[in-house]
Amino acid sequence: MRQRLARVLGGVAILALVAGGAAACKKEEPTTPGGSTVSGLKIGFFGALTGDAAGLVTPGKNGAELAIAEYNAANPGANVTLVPFDSQGSGDKAAPLATAAVADEKIIGVVGPAFSGESEVANPIFDKAGLPIITQSATRPSLNSKGWKIFHRGVGNDLSQGPAIGRYLKDVAKAEKVFLVDDQSAYGTGLRDEVEKVVGAAVVGKDKVTEKQVEFGPVVTAVKNSGATAVFYGGYTPEAAPFLKQLRAGGFKGTFIGGDGLYDANMLSVTGKADVEGAVVTCPCGPATAAKGNFVADFKAKFGTDPGVYADVAYDLTKVFLEGFKAGKTTRADMQAFLGTYNGVGTATGVTYKWEANGELDPAQVSIWAFVAKDGAWANPTQLPKS
């Protein structure tokens, strides 16, 4: 009996050793402090990745890709992926793309949407699904008043940018006669309204253009007849570039200024070096080429070019989501709660990301910059006064 029991116990010991060896050989999945597997989670990136407006968005996508590549290298097995949703800047495309994003349960957060118009279409869908978003560049102020719990903005809105443009026209350009033009988009019209509040009595005329418009003769004539010494344009590069070119051809030699919707390489190249020279753009973002840490060098090493507009912002916002993954926030609800209490400094921008209840940044972190077209490049970055 004793011998039989010994044989049984010996067999159990052998099985235990074999099981232990198998467990030791099994590859461990990366886990969070709470024990949840984080392998294979996803972050969405929503915006115009192709089309005329892509120059404003693709640098940010590259910044997000860099952040994820660095995270995966530092966390073997994490296998986080970036899922692109190419809206081409169109509100018509935004709804089906947002629906596709929420259907993928592995997507725990979204960087974007990049533009205000598409945000108004996509964000209600994201909100219903509880999918948190952080936009790097949608600046229409009213986006914070829709009751979307998932809404977060990583830059200042046009209640900061619009007045800064108005003060630039008054205090720097010394413009006594200002003509206002907008493209009737959610972004362009909203920004124009904020500029008008500051320049006030200096406005000598207003006009509108439409998306995909290519002939601007009547607007050029209206500007000339008004005697304006400065033109503000609220909208995006695809229409602004040919408009400015035709404005210069019509003899206008005054100040031309627009917001961050014009702050891309296409505005320079499509308009042409001679006609764009001296044009001014503003942005609620500093120059990405002067970002902090190793960001600029790492970006250039990965993509073979200097970082463009919002590249550093999108990089830092993606890292916020990645910090959430690292902290075990692997569901949309947990990530939403994480963002609600987040307080951290972006390694590229130096901005302290801390959101108010309406999804806006702490106002102390908001800054507006101006850039001037010079020799075919955006130059002379200048931080504008807040008041």
Side-chain angles (χ1 to χ4, degrees):
M1 182 71 176
R2 188 173 296 174
Q3 283 183 327
R4 183 179 179 186
L5 180 60
R7 285 197 298 269
V8 171
L9 290 175
V12 170
I14 291 170
L15 288 173
L17 286 170
V18 171
C25 293
K26 183 179 179 180
K27 182 179 179 181
E28 293 289 334
E29 293 287 352
T31 59
T32 68
S36 302
T37 300
V38 298
S39 180
L41 294 178
K42 302 175 183 178
I43 298 171
F45 189 94
F46 196 110
L49 301 177
T50 60
D52 292 340
L56 291 165
V57 183
T58 52
K61 176 178 176 286
N62 289 344
E65 286 183 357
L66 176 61
I68 290 174
E70 292 175 347
Y71 181 83
N72 285 336
N75 297 274
N79 299 323
V80 176
T81 55
L82 187 72
V83 183
F85 294 92
D86 181 10
S87 67
Q88 297 183 335
S90 169
D92 294 337
K93 298 182 184 297
L97 289 173
T99 301
V102 301
D104 187 341
E105 295 181 356
K106 285 283 191 176
I107 296 179
I108 307 301
V110 173
V111 177
F115 295 162
S116 297
E118 63 190 15
S119 296
E120 292 181 335
V121 177
N123 285 0
I125 298 171
F126 293 142
D127 192 62
K128 185 176 180 179
L131 178 56
I133 65 101
I134 316 176
T135 178
Q136 77 280 22
S137 56
T139 54
R140 185 175 176 87
S142 62
L143 295 179
N144 70 20
S145 64
K146 309 291 186 180
W148 302 323
K149 294 179 180 178
I150 50 83
F151 174 75
H152 305 83
R153 194 177 344 237
V155 293
N157 65 38
D158 290 336
L159 293 179
S160 299
Q161 185 173 204
I165 294 172
R167 289 190 294 271
Y168 187 98
L169 285 166
K170 291 176 65 175
D171 302 335
V172 180
K174 306 295 183 183
E176 297 181 356
K177 296 181 179 182
V178 180
F179 198 100
L180 306 176
V181 181
D182 74 85
D183 67 353
Q184 305 182 67
S185 69
Y187 160 73
T189 301
L191 187 59
R192 182 213 64 198
D193 289 345
E194 299 307 319
V195 173
E196 186 172 7
K197 290 175 184 177
V198 175
V199 295
V203 175
V204 294
K206 294 186 283 187
D207 210 334
K208 297 180 180 295
V209 301
T210 59
E211 184 181 357
K212 300 189 183 303
Q213 185 171 336
V214 295
E215 173 54 52
F216 300 92
V219 186
V220 171
T221 299
V223 171
K224 289 176 61 180
N225 290 343
S226 73
T229 56
V231 171
F232 163 78
Y233 185 90
Y236 298 101
T237 292
E239 292 75 38
F243 170 58
L244 176 55
K245 194 171 187 68
Q246 292 173 39
L247 196 61
R248 295 300 191 206
F252 178 75
K253 300 185 183 303
T255 300
F256 182 90
I257 188 170
D260 55 314
L262 313 187
Y263 180 37
D264 69 347
N266 286 344
M267 186 65 194
L268 299 166
S269 61
V270 175
T271 308
K273 185 175 178 181
D275 291 329
V276 78
E277 185 77 8
V280 181
V281 296
T282 61
C283 186
C285 62
T289 51
K292 300 179 183 300
N294 297 323
F295 173 76
V296 176
D298 291 345
F299 187 99
K300 193 164 186 176
K302 184 172 179 61
F303 300 106
T305 185
D306 287 329
V309 59
Y310 290 122
D312 52 341
V313 179
Y315 172 85
D316 278 348
L317 298 181
T318 303
K319 289 183 70 173
V320 173
F321 284 127
L322 294 170
E323 285 184 45
F325 291 166
K326 190 74 171 176
K329 312 307 178 183
T330 60
T331 69
R332 293 170 180 177
D334 285 348
M335 185 63 77
Q336 176 69 15
F338 177 78
L339 296 180
T341 60
Y342 186 81
N343 186 346
V345 179
T347 58
T349 63
V351 170
T352 297
Y353 292 105
K354 179 182 179 181
W355 285 282
E356 300 184 328
N358 63 357
E360 296 287 4
L361 275 182
D362 178 349
Q365 299 303 314
V366 173
S367 62
I368 307 297
W369 291 71
F371 304 83
V372 180
K374 183 177 181 181
D375 295 329
W378 294 118
N380 302 334
T382 304
Q383 187 170 351
L384 301 181
K386 291 190 175 183
S387 61

